[in-house]
PDB file of all heavy atoms in Angstrom:
ATOM      1  N   VAL B 122      -5.833 -12.959  36.481  1.00  0.00           N
ATOM      2  CA  VAL B 122      -6.695 -13.952  35.814  1.00  0.00           C
ATOM      3  C   VAL B 122      -7.974 -13.256  35.399  1.00  0.00           C
ATOM      4  O   VAL B 122      -8.638 -12.529  36.211  1.00  0.00           O
ATOM      5  CB  VAL B 122      -7.016 -15.139  36.740  1.00  0.00           C
ATOM      6  CG1 VAL B 122      -7.914 -16.116  36.028  1.00  0.00           C
ATOM      7  CG2 VAL B 122      -5.732 -15.836  37.202  1.00  0.00           C
ATOM      8  N   GLU B 123      -8.392 -13.486  34.132  1.00  0.00           N
ATOM      9  CA  GLU B 123      -9.640 -12.903  33.634  1.00  0.00           C
ATOM     10  C   GLU B 123     -10.329 -13.952  32.749  1.00  0.00           C
ATOM     11  O   GLU B 123      -9.699 -14.766  32.140  1.00  0.00           O
ATOM     12  CB  GLU B 123      -9.369 -11.657  32.770  1.00  0.00           C
ATOM     13  CG  GLU B 123      -8.683 -10.528  33.565  1.00  0.00           C
ATOM     14  CD  GLU B 123      -8.033  -9.521  32.639  1.00  0.00           C
ATOM     15  OE1 GLU B 123      -8.169  -9.676  31.394  1.00  0.00           O
ATOM     16  OE2 GLU B 123      -7.317  -8.636  33.149  1.00  0.00           O
ATOM     17  N   SER B 124     -11.633 -13.851  32.677  1.00  0.00           N
ATOM     18  CA  SER B 124     -12.425 -14.703  31.790  1.00  0.00           C
ATOM     19  C   SER B 124     -12.678 -13.950  30.463  1.00  0.00           C
ATOM     20  O   SER B 124     -12.947 -12.745  30.485  1.00  0.00           O
ATOM     21  CB  SER B 124     -13.769 -15.096  32.413  1.00  0.00           C
ATOM     22  OG  SER B 124     -14.531 -13.953  32.720  1.00  0.00           O
ATOM     23  N   VAL B 125     -12.531 -14.645  29.364  1.00  0.00           N
ATOM     24  CA  VAL B 125     -12.731 -14.066  28.050  1.00  0.00           C
ATOM     25  C   VAL B 125     -13.663 -14.990  27.228  1.00  0.00           C
ATOM     26  O   VAL B 125     -13.936 -16.125  27.643  1.00  0.00           O
ATOM     27  CB  VAL B 125     -11.420 -13.820  27.314  1.00  0.00           C
ATOM     28  CG1 VAL B 125     -10.576 -12.793  28.033  1.00  0.00           C
ATOM     29  CG2 VAL B 125     -10.652 -15.112  27.115  1.00  0.00           C
ATOM     30  N   LEU B 126     -14.037 -14.492  26.056  1.00  0.00           N
ATOM     31  CA  LEU B 126     -14.888 -15.279  25.121  1.00  0.00           C
ATOM     32  C   LEU B 126     -16.129 -15.801  25.868  1.00  0.00           C
ATOM     33  O   LEU B 126     -16.465 -16.985  25.821  1.00  0.00           O
ATOM     34  CB  LEU B 126     -14.115 -16.446  24.499  1.00  0.00           C
ATOM     35  CG  LEU B 126     -12.990 -16.024  23.548  1.00  0.00           C
ATOM     36  CD1 LEU B 126     -12.240 -17.284  23.071  1.00  0.00           C
ATOM     37  CD2 LEU B 126     -13.541 -15.299  22.353  1.00  0.00           C
ATOM     38  N   GLU B 127     -16.823 -14.880  26.549  1.00  0.00           N
ATOM     39  CA  GLU B 127     -18.071 -15.220  27.264  1.00  0.00           C
ATOM     40  C   GLU B 127     -17.836 -16.380  28.250  1.00  0.00           C
ATOM     41  O   GLU B 127     -18.633 -17.308  28.276  1.00  0.00           O
ATOM     42  CB  GLU B 127     -19.181 -15.540  26.264  1.00  0.00           C
ATOM     43  CG  GLU B 127     -19.505 -14.370  25.353  1.00  0.00           C
ATOM     44  CD  GLU B 127     -20.630 -14.698  24.383  1.00  0.00           C
ATOM     45  OE1 GLU B 127     -20.996 -15.870  24.273  1.00  0.00           O
ATOM     46  OE2 GLU B 127     -21.111 -13.756  23.702  1.00  0.00           O
ATOM     47  N   ASN B 128     -16.761 -16.219  28.982  1.00  0.00           N
ATOM     48  CA  ASN B 128     -16.419 -17.199  30.046  1.00  0.00           C
ATOM     49  C   ASN B 128     -16.052 -18.585  29.549  1.00  0.00           C
ATOM     50  O   ASN B 128     -15.995 -19.553  30.325  1.00  0.00           O
ATOM     51  CB  ASN B 128     -17.572 -17.338  31.079  1.00  0.00           C
ATOM     52  CG  ASN B 128     -17.871 -16.013  31.775  1.00  0.00           C
ATOM     53  OD1 ASN B 128     -16.969 -15.265  32.097  1.00  0.00           O
ATOM     54  ND2 ASN B 128     -19.167 -15.745  31.976  1.00  0.00           N
ATOM     55  N   GLU B 129     -15.760 -18.703  28.255  1.00  0.00           N
ATOM     56  CA  GLU B 129     -15.330 -20.019  27.707  1.00  0.00           C
ATOM     57  C   GLU B 129     -13.851 -20.259  27.933  1.00  0.00           C
ATOM     58  O   GLU B 129     -13.393 -21.399  27.924  1.00  0.00           O
ATOM     59  CB  GLU B 129     -15.667 -20.092  26.218  1.00  0.00           C
ATOM     60  CG  GLU B 129     -17.128 -20.114  25.926  1.00  0.00           C
ATOM     61  CD  GLU B 129     -17.376 -20.233  24.425  1.00  0.00           C
ATOM     62  OE1 GLU B 129     -16.404 -20.385  23.673  1.00  0.00           O
ATOM     63  OE2 GLU B 129     -18.551 -20.196  24.010  1.00  0.00           O
ATOM     64  N   VAL B 130     -13.059 -19.187  28.105  1.00  0.00           N
ATOM     65  CA  VAL B 130     -11.619 -19.278  28.263  1.00  0.00           C
ATOM     66  C   VAL B 130     -11.181 -18.342  29.387  1.00  0.00           C
ATOM     67  O   VAL B 130     -11.776 -17.279  29.599  1.00  0.00           O
ATOM     68  CB  VAL B 130     -10.924 -18.856  26.918  1.00  0.00           C
ATOM     69  CG1 VAL B 130      -9.405 -18.867  27.112  1.00  0.00           C
ATOM     70  CG2 VAL B 130     -11.350 -19.802  25.819  1.00  0.00           C
ATOM     71  N   TYR B 131     -10.155 -18.772  30.111  1.00  0.00           N
ATOM     72  CA  TYR B 131      -9.523 -17.907  31.122  1.00  0.00           C
ATOM     73  C   TYR B 131      -8.170 -17.457  30.641  1.00  0.00           C
ATOM     74  O   TYR B 131      -7.388 -18.276  30.095  1.00  0.00           O
ATOM     75  CB  TYR B 131      -9.409 -18.662  32.457  1.00  0.00           C
ATOM     76  CG  TYR B 131     -10.707 -18.718  33.233  1.00  0.00           C
ATOM     77  CD1 TYR B 131     -11.609 -19.779  33.058  1.00  0.00           C
ATOM     78  CD2 TYR B 131     -11.028 -17.722  34.157  1.00  0.00           C
ATOM     79  CE1 TYR B 131     -12.802 -19.830  33.718  1.00  0.00           C
ATOM     80  CE2 TYR B 131     -12.238 -17.776  34.855  1.00  0.00           C
ATOM     81  CZ  TYR B 131     -13.097 -18.833  34.628  1.00  0.00           C
ATOM     82  OH  TYR B 131     -14.266 -18.865  35.346  1.00  0.00           O
ATOM     83  N   SER B 132      -7.892 -16.213  30.819  1.00  0.00           N
ATOM     84  CA  SER B 132      -6.604 -15.617  30.482  1.00  0.00           C
ATOM     85  C   SER B 132      -5.791 -15.440  31.746  1.00  0.00           C
ATOM     86  O   SER B 132      -6.258 -14.793  32.690  1.00  0.00           O
ATOM     87  CB  SER B 132      -6.802 -14.290  29.776  1.00  0.00           C
ATOM     88  OG  SER B 132      -5.578 -13.648  29.542  1.00  0.00           O
ATOM     89  N   VAL B 133      -4.623 -16.049  31.759  1.00  0.00           N
ATOM     90  CA  VAL B 133      -3.720 -15.950  32.917  1.00  0.00           C
ATOM     91  C   VAL B 133      -2.443 -15.271  32.469  1.00  0.00           C
ATOM     92  O   VAL B 133      -1.821 -15.712  31.503  1.00  0.00           O
ATOM     93  CB  VAL B 133      -3.402 -17.340  33.485  1.00  0.00           C
ATOM     94  CG1 VAL B 133      -2.512 -17.200  34.730  1.00  0.00           C
ATOM     95  CG2 VAL B 133      -4.692 -18.095  33.861  1.00  0.00           C
ATOM     96  N   TYR B 134      -2.037 -14.211  33.134  1.00  0.00           N
ATOM     97  CA  TYR B 134      -0.863 -13.468  32.680  1.00  0.00           C
ATOM     98  C   TYR B 134      -0.157 -12.797  33.860  1.00  0.00           C
ATOM     99  O   TYR B 134      -0.714 -12.642  34.943  1.00  0.00           O
ATOM    100  CB  TYR B 134      -1.176 -12.450  31.610  1.00  0.00           C
ATOM    101  CG  TYR B 134      -2.169 -11.380  32.026  1.00  0.00           C
ATOM    102  CD1 TYR B 134      -1.766 -10.131  32.401  1.00  0.00           C
ATOM    103  CD2 TYR B 134      -3.547 -11.630  31.977  1.00  0.00           C
ATOM    104  CE1 TYR B 134      -2.647  -9.149  32.791  1.00  0.00           C
ATOM    105  CE2 TYR B 134      -4.461 -10.645  32.341  1.00  0.00           C
ATOM    106  CZ  TYR B 134      -4.029  -9.377  32.736  1.00  0.00           C
ATOM    107  OH  TYR B 134      -4.922  -8.417  33.083  1.00  0.00           O
TER     108      TYR B 134
END
Side-chain angles (χ1 to χ4, degrees):
V122 178
E123 298 161 5
S124 60
V125 296
L126 294 176
E127 299 181 351
N128 299 322
E129 293 182 4
V130 176
Y131 281 88
S132 174
V133 182
Y134 60 99

